[in-house]
Amino acid sequence: MSNAGSASSLHWQAVSPWALVYFVVHFMVRVIRDGIFNLLPITIVFVTQVENKLFWGQIAGAVALVALLIYSFLYYKSFRFCISEEHEILLKKGVFKKERLTLKFARVQNVNIAEPFYFTPINLVNCIFDAAGSVAQEVVLPGITKEHAQQMRKQIFAYKAQQQDTVTDNVDHQVTAQSSLFISNKEIAKFGLISNMAILAFAAIAPFINVVIDFLEQKLIAKMEGFYQQELGIVANAAMFAVITLIVLLVIIAVLLSVGMSLIRFYNYELYFKGQKFKRIAGLLERHQLSMSLDKVQSIVIKQNLVARLLKRFTVECLQASSGGMVAGVAAKNNKQTLLLPVLNAAQVNSVCQWIYPWFNSKNLAFTGAERALLYKNLVFYALLPSILVFVFCLVAEFNMWLSLGVFVAFSGLVTLSYQRYGYYLHEDNGRYYMVVRKGLIGVHYRVFELYKTQSARSISTYLMRRSGLKSVCIQLASGYAFMPYIKQQDADFIIDFILMQVESDPRSWM
């Protein structure tokens, strides 16, 4: 009787009719992202076998568009939500398969507000409830007013604060200093040079690469070859110059594409830190607002690749918990709830990290490096052996023998750089213990975390390592892992024992 009474008292609400636009865009993206490989055989048959491609392509496109609009409309009509008296978010949705989802306030980690460009003129937003730091656990309420979204956000965090007996920045009477960071769009464009967004975009069109190459060969390479022959008088190598020109153009397009994607994602980047909570606002087509509590940050990753090193810039990631065991780092990076600071200079890196770890200063980190046995082992396996193979190949193929020496020198340099990058640093601050682990090659990669957030720690040693009194240490976190190779056995045992003591003795929750 009580369940029936409570069910009948629920006040189900519908989202704005403008949410239909969101559903159309959402399902269109899902079809393109998830259905493109399933439709690949049909696409290949269509491209290779169908004669009147334009006509049948228009018919197929029209049918798909009508089906998409009908499905989106039916989905919108069935979409209902409500907030129950038991502090739950209830959601009903589905067309062919009806679903009812219940999300308790206590399980909500973040409440983010996204403002797509098509909602901006009518003051509507998407309210996103993140339940476990993963996309699969998201609940999205599209097309609601910004005031309603902010009200639900305050209601949820006020309830969580009451349950945990903590004070959050959602309490209006609390006065807390606010720190902020703004990244200019000129700096965001540099992230396009640093990141691999263009590579990901080209990977998406990989199934159609043969069609693209055939088109370029007929329309572009032949014309450039003729230009080099007639205008510049280059006949013998005209085809080679045409191919080189095409490659240069593709690289330029890739760079421009990566810069454009970066600006779309991080346009007018704003970051605020107040009351132990981050708030990030960024985006061109969709002004996405992401919130993250400081205690949810499992580790901070600071990285700098070759291009970033030339530009003297770093990328910082504040990672939340993610599933996946040893591949948890990949899951954390793919998690769109990860707080990413795309491009910072050294001073900004120290400033932002000090919001979380006040002691942090990259210039004062005294790292303990790996033992020289690691260098000797890597020189043998990754420099000497490849150079011997190249020497044998040159001997058989009658190439210049000095090539093997060049390979040995180049690989030895890379091995030495990698060896010099490895290091770890332990720090104590006000009774709390932290670790910074460094690695890299030409660039550098730092991982900063508090010891009590470790999930497990183990040592690895081979027969030769045991003979030399050495071990490698692997520390598993909820957002990836840290690895320290070839350190002294007593140091490795101390690190593992000390970490386990911190995990067992610290009562704080890190989830």
Side-chain angles (χ1 to χ4, degrees), residues 185-198 201 252-268 283-285:
N185 293 325
K186 180 180 179 181
E187 291 293 311
I188 295 299
K190 293 180 181 179
F191 180 68
L193 304 177
I194 297 172
S195 67
N196 58 353
M197 288 186 175
I252 294 175
I253 293 173
V255 171
L256 294 177
L257 181 62
S258 184
V259 170
M261 294 172 66
S262 300
L263 288 172
I264 291 175
R265 183 180 178 186
F266 297 115
Y267 184 80
N268 284 351
L284 179 61
L285 302 180

Side-chain angles (χ1 to χ4, degrees), residues 411-428:
F411 284 23
S412 296
L414 294 176
V415 167
T416 303
L417 286 175
S418 176
Y419 163 75
Q420 292 175 342
R421 289 295 189 193
Y422 277 115
Y424 69 92
Y425 171 71
L426 284 169
H427 184 86
E428 185 271 336

Side-chain angles (χ1 to χ4, degrees), residues 365-375 416-426 436-439 470-473 483-489 491-492 495:
L365 302 179
F367 288 97
T368 301
E371 296 298 313
R372 296 187 69 86
L374 175 65
L375 175 62
T416 303
L417 286 175
S418 176
Y419 163 75
Q420 292 175 342
R421 289 295 189 193
Y422 277 115
Y424 69 92
Y425 171 71
L426 284 169
V436 185
V437 179
R438 183 184 66 185
K439 64 179 181 179
L470 301 175
K471 285 185 177 181
S472 297
V473 175
F483 183 68
M484 297 171 291
Y486 281 68
I487 61 178
K488 294 180 180 179
Q489 179 176 342
D491 294 340
I495 290 173

Side-chain angles (χ1 to χ4, degrees), residues 23-36:
F23 290 128
V24 171
V25 174
H26 174 72
F27 290 122
M28 184 181 299
V29 171
R30 284 189 57 182
V31 169
I32 295 175
R33 182 187 63 195
D34 301 332
I36 187 170

Side-chain angles (χ1 to χ4, degrees), residues 151-162:
Q151 180 184 359
M152 286 191 293
R153 183 176 181 273
K154 290 181 179 180
Q155 182 181 356
I156 290 173
F157 281 117
Y159 172 81
K160 288 173 67 68
Q162 182 181 5

Side-chain angles (χ1 to χ4, degrees), residues 306-320:
L306 173 60
V307 179
R309 187 173 183 180
L310 295 175
L311 297 175
K312 297 181 179 180
R313 294 296 185 269
F314 296 84
T315 297
V316 177
E317 296 175 340
C318 298
L319 303 178
Q320 294 190 86

